Amino acid sequence: MEIKQVMVIGAGQMGSGIAQVCAAGGYDVFLHDLEESLTEQGKQGIKERLEREVEKERISDADKERILRRIQPSTDLSNAENVDIVIEAAVENMEVKKNLFQQLDNRAPAHAILATNTSSLPITEIAAMTKRAEKVIGMHFMNPVPIMKLVEIIRGLQTSDETYKAVAEMASSLKKTSVEVNDFPGFVSNRILMPMINEAIFTLYEGVSSAEDIDEVMKLGMNHPMGPITLADFIGLDTCLYIMETLHNELGDDKYRPCPLLRKYVKAGWLGKKSGRGFYAYD
Ligand code: NAD
């Protein structure tokens, strides 16, 4: 099947990045969120990133304009009536995603693929909300989307080979490398990454060391490009908590118990870089 028109749901840090790489890859994109101010904010972020690319002479000014023209803000879900694929990147909450997929199933044309950028939620359960489980798939981009090369493609129980192939081809047209993963909590990436981040937060919580020194140990000692506490702030502490809760609930092992300090920060609204304050302060 040919994919031309994309709808990205959620204009936050992931959704705006996905819309940017899709537009740069030649697709027409609806960037959808709950309010116009959010889609505008998402589009403004894309504009600023592209302007930096122009300054560094990686793209021309005409390229920038062409990419921006391909992105159309949307607050009306009925725009899904005209798309070939939806990539959902709304908040990491099962109820929100189930509700969206039900509505999208009613609106999107029969041929359209419904993909989710979920970090950890079961694709099979999301697919069960629709009458097209064979066309539902996980398309898990990494943060920041324009820079990170990987897309984890997650097959739900009923995802068809045709859907998998179309999504893998799209990922490669976006100059990403994809890997095929089965539908288990946290997939591969967050099954491994998130317990490490959670353990780093426990290490801070138990007073073993400071946030700066924990990050330093993992950067200089383990050759990680970014320390786990900083990475948690970049991912978003709410997203980290949702993922740990999914691992804990679905896999049932105490080793996945979210650190109380992570819970406390999320309750305080300290969500990391996106809210200006997490384990570190940002201005
Ligand atoms: P974010 O908080 O930056 O953005 C989420 C956006 O979704 C917000 O703009 C919000 O208004 C919008 N939204 C919420 N409910 C909506 C609805 N019903 N309809 C339309 N829009 C809605 O979050 P994010 O970091 O961009 O994460 C989005 C998704 O991507 C989550 O599922 C997350 O797990 C996943 N993800 C995140 C990362 C990461 O590093 N942050 C990496 C990979 C995947």
Side-chain angles (χ1 to χ4, degrees):
M1 69 168 283
E2 200 187 354
I3 296 176
K4 278 188 176 160
Q5 179 72 54
V6 180
M7 181 177 213
V8 177
I9 308 269
Q13 45 180 353
M14 293 305 291
S16 67
I18 295 167
Q20 179 181 333
V21 297
C22 288
Y27 298 93
D28 293 314
V29 185
F30 286 117
L31 179 56
H32 179 92
D33 209 307
L34 297 169
E35 289 169 22
E36 213 177 294
S37 62
L38 295 166
T39 58
E40 284 311 318
Q41 206 176 307
K43 205 165 168 189
Q44 183 59 25
I46 297 171
K47 190 163 171 256
E48 286 166 14
R49 284 195 292 274
L50 291 173
E51 274 161 4
R52 283 198 292 276
E53 292 293 289
V54 173
E55 275 163 29
K56 290 178 188 156
E57 296 183 353
R58 291 195 187 128
I59 60 169
S60 68
D61 204 51
D63 291 334
K64 180 194 83 181
E65 292 303 326
R66 201 173 311 121
I67 295 169
L68 287 172
R69 262 199 311 275
R70 287 201 189 107
I71 304 172
Q72 208 178 314
S74 153
T75 49
D76 181 356
L77 213 55
S78 54
N79 283 320
E81 285 164 13
N82 302 309
V83 305
D84 305 306
I85 186 169
V86 177
I87 306 174
E88 174 277 318
V91 61
E92 185 75 348
N93 177 295
M94 190 48 131
E95 288 320 304
V96 172
K97 292 199 193 290
K98 279 185 170 174
N99 188 288
L100 273 167
F101 272 70
Q102 221 167 17
Q103 293 187 61
L104 289 166
D105 189 36
N106 291 332
R107 289 184 161 91
H111 75 274
I113 293 173
L114 304 182
T116 170
N117 182 51
T118 178
S119 303
S120 64
L121 296 169
I123 308 303
T124 307
E125 197 176 332
I126 295 172
M129 301 309 291
T130 72
K131 290 181 237 44
R132 61 176 97 192
E134 75 289 354
K135 291 191 181 295
V136 178
I137 193 161
M139 196 175 185
H140 184 208
F141 291 83
M142 306 292 131
N143 186 15
V145 182
I147 291 168
M148 301 297 279
K149 285 273 160 252
L150 182 74
V151 177
E152 225 180 2
I153 302 182
I154 304 106
R155 299 181 76 124
L157 191 62
Q158 300 177 71
T159 307
S160 69
D161 290 343
E162 193 194 359
T163 301
Y164 175 79
K165 191 164 165 272
V167 167
E169 278 170 7
M170 184 180 178
S172 99
S173 78
L174 302 176
K175 301 194 176 67
K176 304 291 183 198
T177 300
S178 61
V179 292
E180 183 178 349
V181 175
N182 281 323
D183 189 17
F184 275 88
F187 319 128
V188 172
S189 52
N190 282 314
R191 172 88 176 253
I192 298 172
L193 172 69
M194 227 20 100
M196 186 197 72
I197 286 179
N198 195 47
E199 199 59 34
I201 300 170
F202 265 115
T203 310
L204 177 67
Y205 176 62
E206 291 169 10
V208 181
S209 198
S210 65
E212 288 81 358
D213 285 347
I214 294 165
D215 277 348
E216 206 71 341
V217 167
M218 298 308 284
K219 278 195 296 182
L220 301 184
M222 317 299 156
N223 219 10
H224 289 198
M226 185 185 279
I229 306 280
T230 303
L231 183 54
D233 271 358
F234 274 64
I235 292 170
L237 301 187
D238 51 343
T239 300
C240 292
L241 180 58
Y242 282 134
I243 297 169
M244 283 313 296
E245 280 173 340
T246 303
L247 290 174
H248 196 215
N249 293 338
E250 300 281 328
L251 298 169
D253 197 308
D254 192 57
K255 72 180 174 186
Y256 300 112
R257 180 170 60 91
C259 178
L261 190 62
L262 176 61
R263 281 193 193 286
K264 191 185 231 177
Y265 275 39
V266 172
K267 280 190 186 137
W270 290 5
L271 306 182
K273 192 163 182 286
K274 67 183 170 186
S275 73
R277 178 72 210 247
F279 291 105
Y280 297 99
Y282 304 84
D283 35 45

